[in-house]
Amino acid sequence: MQTVAGKLMKVFLTRRIPPEGMKILSAAGVCEVSQWDSDEPVQRADLLKGVQGAHGLLCLLSDKIDAEVLDAAGPNLKVISTLSVGYDHLAIDEIKKRGIRVGYTPDVLTDATAELTVALLLATARRLPEGVEEVKNGGWSSWKPLWLCGYGLSGSTVGVIGLGRIGMAIARRLMPFGVKRLLYSGRTAKDYAAEVNGEYVPLDTLVSESDFIVVSCSLTPETQGMCDKAFFSKMKNTGVFVNSSRGTVVNQEDLYEALSSGQIAAAGLDVTTPEPLPTNHPLLTLKNCVVLPHIGSATYSTRGIMGALSAQNLLGGLQGTDMPSELTF
Ligand code: NDP
Ligand code: DGY
């Protein structure tokens, strides 16, 4: 059993995690686990207290891990394992400076997130939440030629912003719907885009020529606030906008204006700012805006695999061995 000076290493978990992950941590017998034993986020003060003296930290995307947390943890901290593929909540420069290793969960959630994004796109473009509501509230009086019409994918142009793991999985799923052109933008052209006949274009071209825009990039200083007034003003009036990356890629005031003025047709968001979105938020008053509570990776099996992977990453970092998914920076 690998321990520090004969003692078990201390790890702090900022939330209840899937049982698949807990089993791996218990079976390893190398760490003493303390945990914020709740399905709700840890308060900042409890995070700062819980992490004290920890050798390992397992966190979620809702935990901001910055210099204050690292200082509170102290010099023992060897590894941070996040139960997510996105790592914009981690102060990477600070973490790197202190030689702390980082584990994350790429690939294992790609299919689930792509599937949800396609579901959100279809629900938004074909107005499913409105239709369900009309059935329940008696608004369904008859089959009417012009009632609840939306936009279809057949013959359309789709633009994917960020053709990474998830963006590519979304494109693969959309092509069989009869998409005519698949545009994508990002920092570099991708060889693998050939599989979906992807055309690498400048962002402006993608925005003005697409019928459907899907945002699946990572949140970085360059992508923060990227979808703003200027962006929406270049979209077609019939355009449908979908975001399953991070909420702050979008300027929500500008999105509200674009949706309520008819500048764009509809939007589907799996991610917002803040999360949760307050129930009195203006976006929630719009029929042409479908908002989901950040459930891209939420299948039972995906969350179980994410739990297991985050536990294995944590153990690798504690023991100084390979981590199955280590973030290299
Ligand atoms: P990848 O790293 O594989 O893909 C990220 C993509 O973002 C890359 O293709 C990259 O393009 C692109 N990108 C980076 N900078 C820019 C930019 N300035 N403009 C346009 N594109 C850019 O990550 P994943 O596909 O695995 O995950 C993507 C993101 O999805 C995560 O970071 C996370 O925020 C979000 N996510 C959301 C989930 C949900 O539940 N809604 C679930 C899982 C992930 P390039 O290679 O050219 O730099
Ligand atoms: C991630 O992993 O980054 C998602 O947002 C949640 O699965």
Side-chain angles (χ1 to χ4, degrees), residues 61 85-88 106-107 109-110 113 116-117 161-167 185-190 192 200 203 216-220 222-223 226 243-246 270-271 294-298 303:
L61 56 90
V85 65
Y87 51 87
D88 47 278
D107 301 311
L109 44 56
T110 295
T113 308
L116 186 284
T117 307
I161 301 179
L163 196 75
R165 288 173 291 248
I166 295 170
S185 67
R187 287 173 296 193
T188 54
K190 310 290 180 204
Y192 56 73
Y200 183 59
L203 183 63
S216 55
C217 59
S218 36
L219 172 62
T220 68
E222 294 80 52
T223 60
M226 173 176 64
N243 181 20
S244 61
S245 64
R246 285 290 183 266
D270 184 42
V271 286
H294 201 151
I295 53 171
S297 63
R303 289 287 166 81

Side-chain angles (χ1 to χ4, degrees), residues 158-163 182-186 188-194 196-203 206:
V158 171
V160 178
I161 301 179
L163 196 75
L182 191 292
L183 313 180
Y184 72 100
S185 67
T188 54
K190 310 290 180 204
D191 291 343
Y192 56 73
V196 290
N197 292 325
E199 299 169 43
Y200 183 59
V201 294
L203 183 63
L206 181 148

Side-chain angles (χ1 to χ4, degrees), residues 170-189:
I170 294 167
R172 274 196 203 102
R173 282 160 175 75
L174 289 179
M175 292 313 282
F177 283 91
V179 170
K180 193 165 155 204
R181 290 178 73 203
L182 191 292
L183 313 180
Y184 72 100
S185 67
R187 287 173 296 193
T188 54

Side-chain angles (χ1 to χ4, degrees), residues 141-275:
S141 60
S142 164
W143 188 94
K144 290 177 273 190
L146 294 175
W147 190 51
L148 282 177
C149 291
Y151 298 95
L153 280 160
S154 183
S156 71
T157 297
V158 171
V160 178
I161 301 179
L163 196 75
R165 288 173 291 248
I166 295 170
M168 186 63 191
I170 294 167
R172 274 196 203 102
R173 282 160 175 75
L174 289 179
M175 292 313 282
F177 283 91
V179 170
K180 193 165 155 204
R181 290 178 73 203
L182 191 292
L183 313 180
Y184 72 100
S185 67
R187 287 173 296 193
T188 54
K190 310 290 180 204
D191 291 343
Y192 56 73
E195 184 193 331
V196 290
N197 292 325
E199 299 169 43
Y200 183 59
V201 294
L203 183 63
D204 275 1
T205 308
L206 181 148
V207 174
S208 59
E209 294 187 7
S210 297
D211 300 301
F212 298 88
I213 295 179
V214 180
V215 184
S216 55
C217 59
S218 36
L219 172 62
T220 68
E222 294 80 52
T223 60
Q224 177 141 15
M226 173 176 64
C227 305
D228 59 4
K229 193 177 168 65
F231 178 104
F232 295 119
S233 70
K234 288 173 204 139
M235 276 181 69
K236 297 182 182 182
N237 297 146
T238 51
V240 174
F241 175 84
V242 174
N243 181 20
S244 61
S245 64
R246 285 290 183 266
T248 52
V249 169
V250 176
N251 179 318
Q252 288 177 176
E253 285 74 39
D254 294 347
L255 175 62
Y256 175 82
E257 188 54 36
L259 286 167
S260 55
S261 66
Q263 172 61 46
I264 70 171
L269 310 174
D270 184 42
V271 286
T272 60
T273 312
E275 293 185 1

